[in-house]
Amino acid sequence: MRGSVGKVPYCWLSCFSITEPTMSRFARPFAEALAPLVELPVADVEKQLETPPKPGMGQLAFPCFQLAKTLRKAPPAIAEDLASKIQPTGLIKKVIATGPYVNAYLDGEAVAREVLPAALEAGECFGSLSIGGGRAVTVDYSSPNIAKSFGIHHLRSTVIGHALVNMLKAAGFQPVGINHLGDWGTQFGQLLAIWDEKGDEAELNERGIAYLLELYVEFNAAKEKNPELQDVARAKFRLLENGDAEARRLWALFRKVSLDEFERVYAMLGIQFDDMRGESFYEGLMPAVLTELKERNLLTESKGATVVDLEAFDLGTALVRKADGSTLYLTRDLASAGYRKESYDFVRSLYVVGGSQALHFAQMTKVLELMERPWFDTIEHVPFGLMRFKDRKMSTRKGDIVPLRDVLEQAAALAKQTIVKGAEDKSRPIPDDVDELAHRIGVGAVVFNDLKNRRVRDVVFDWDEVLAFDGETGPYLQYTAARIASMEARYGKPPSADVDFHLLDGPGELALIVAISEMPDSLQRGLESCEPSYVSDKLLEIASLFSTLYSNRSWKVLSEDVALTDARMLLAHGVRQALCNGLGWLGIPVPARM
RNA sequence: GUUCCCGUAGCUCAGUUGGAUAGAGCACCGGAUUUCUAAUCCGGCGGUCCCAGGUUCGAAUCCUGGCGGGAACGCCA
């Protein structure tokens, strides 16, 4: 199966022109010095370079184990020999053999001079890449089902997809955010079936989506006892597909009520889609898909249904038409894939959908291949782990979910409480925009909590964890940026790149500046594997390194020493720029202060 | 039953694509604020990297086989 969950089959970015990762700017000179001595190409040496486990051991390391065989010497002796032959120049301050490694120590002053002015100049573009060349990449994400509440379990696709859209944009691609609304299918038959019995438009207008969810849950409860109800639902959906006026009218009504609610949630998260076509849009395109499948002799009849037999590829059989003639999810996805290719001419098409649907996407891709779509292998399922309760699955059918809106509102309420308490403790006035600030912090906590870990892992929903503001959290990053913003305001003028870089020569500064310089690497790595957590990780590292410096009482940014203040301000500004840009990629708002 | 994913500290997770003494946060214990925001920082405690083999100079990482958890496997999406 292509693109098995959790593994990156190949680097899809590698087909585009890659700018050199920033770290290799530092690694290159070291590799160039080593290459002639070990008689290997510079690129090979560079690939072997590692980062030592502790900062006191330098910033770059070359392991000598592999040379031991060819040179028939002990690795430490080789390291010793190599180290003695390399002259420090430019970015490299010294080279020392440490056991079987040749370690290089970067020159803090030179690194600062290289990184910080560039960061200042780049501003909001700092950390960005220009590998995309304006090429389109579609990102199918969020895609909630109409007539069901927007639950916390939809958060995963929504925030991962949103982050990928932002990251693609930062890398110079033209992302197309697609919300493939689940607004078609037998589920509507179910809703229409129960609506016949007890639907009440007045109540719908009043209670909105909560009422629809209630009906849906009730139908499913009834179906448990009376399985024939599913046949009633299928008949209703067929009616809808055949264009029955009343069914269509109700469908449109349900759709609107749902969209109103979804829009509120998207507004809270600051998300806008480029394409909000639901599944229903592809209704008219499906006959053509079925016709083509038939002409290509890909269809077989099986138990009354129409299928594509994929047993030869270990992918089972893929249903494209039910026995009653109505269509399925796969049929619609085949149609939408072609439509997207025509509309957007994507170089890559991502589907941010739970890992449980791996088979569906494998089938879809295989069918597209059999249909001789040359772009079939540019489609990639970006799977993620399930969100569940500690002791049970979340179940929309049973109404056993947590509405996302509740979570965001709770988080904002808690943030407000923290702001108010903080203001009281320091006997300061409560800010006028406390609600806006609290909202941003709450969203930051909830979103970052989902993006900080690798997406394949299952997530257990836990209020304490979602609402945590301490440690490795969104508010921690926001707070670090806010503290710097406050210093910048106090500083009273824009930071200057014309500073004495020698004043930024300390080990803490060097580690921090190297981390800042790795922002583009985190973006690139994140895009290669569609994994926003690489960015989250880098931001935490930067914030942590800065906080350590900041908390040292003998290390002040603002002081009487003008030259020192200017230099440290430039560094602090770079930190804030990196944090703000990275948070922006992740779709996390940055409050003006905290 | 078959296939896919996951398994690292009490809990939640990183681990630079096979390298040095496996790292963070939470929780717990102890510290730090006359000075840039304590949503912070510092220290301590905490490990059979699920198990067993194999490959390798070298394995949490790769291979094989188990065990445990989750998911998918036809008319839902």
Side-chain angles (χ1 to χ4, degrees), chain A residues 551-591:
Chain A
S551 302
N552 184 339
R553 257 182 290 164
S554 58
W555 193 94
K556 292 286 171 195
V557 175
L558 304 170
S559 69
E560 302 288 302
D561 187 333
V562 176
L564 191 62
T565 301
D566 286 348
R568 287 180 177 170
M569 205 63 238
L570 177 65
L571 171 61
H573 177 79
V575 170
R576 190 170 69 85
Q577 195 71 66
L579 291 176
C580 289
N581 294 0
L583 286 169
W585 299 344
L586 298 178
I588 294 174
V590 183

Side-chain angles (χ1 to χ4, degrees), chain A residues 438-518:
Chain A
H439 169 77
R440 289 176 174 223
I441 294 162
V443 169
V446 174
V447 173
F448 190 83
N449 182 251
D450 203 306
L451 293 178
K452 72 178 174 183
N453 297 140
R454 300 194 60 167
R455 42 164 233 275
V456 289
R457 306 190 77 105
D458 286 349
V459 175
V460 172
F461 179 78
D462 178 353
W463 278 106
D464 289 343
E465 218 168 284
V466 174
L467 299 182
F469 295 165
D470 297 336
E472 296 171 331
T473 63
Y476 172 52
L477 300 176
Q478 294 171 323
Y479 178 68
T480 308
R483 290 208 286 200
I484 296 172
S486 149
M487 285 188 296
E488 291 194 64
R490 216 173 264 251
Y491 183 62
K493 55 182 177 181
S496 161
D498 182 23
V499 305
D500 181 358
F501 292 100
H502 180 65
L503 298 170
L504 298 174
D505 202 19
E509 285 89 338
L510 177 57
L512 180 54
I513 295 167
V514 167
I516 291 173
S517 78
E518 285 167 350

Side-chain angles (χ1 to χ4, degrees), chain A residues 158-181:
Chain A
T158 306
V159 300
I160 293 167
H162 187 215
L164 291 176
V165 164
N166 295 331
M167 287 162 67
L168 284 162
K169 195 175 288 172
F173 288 94
Q174 181 167 17
V176 183
I178 299 176
N179 194 344
H180 190 63
L181 295 164

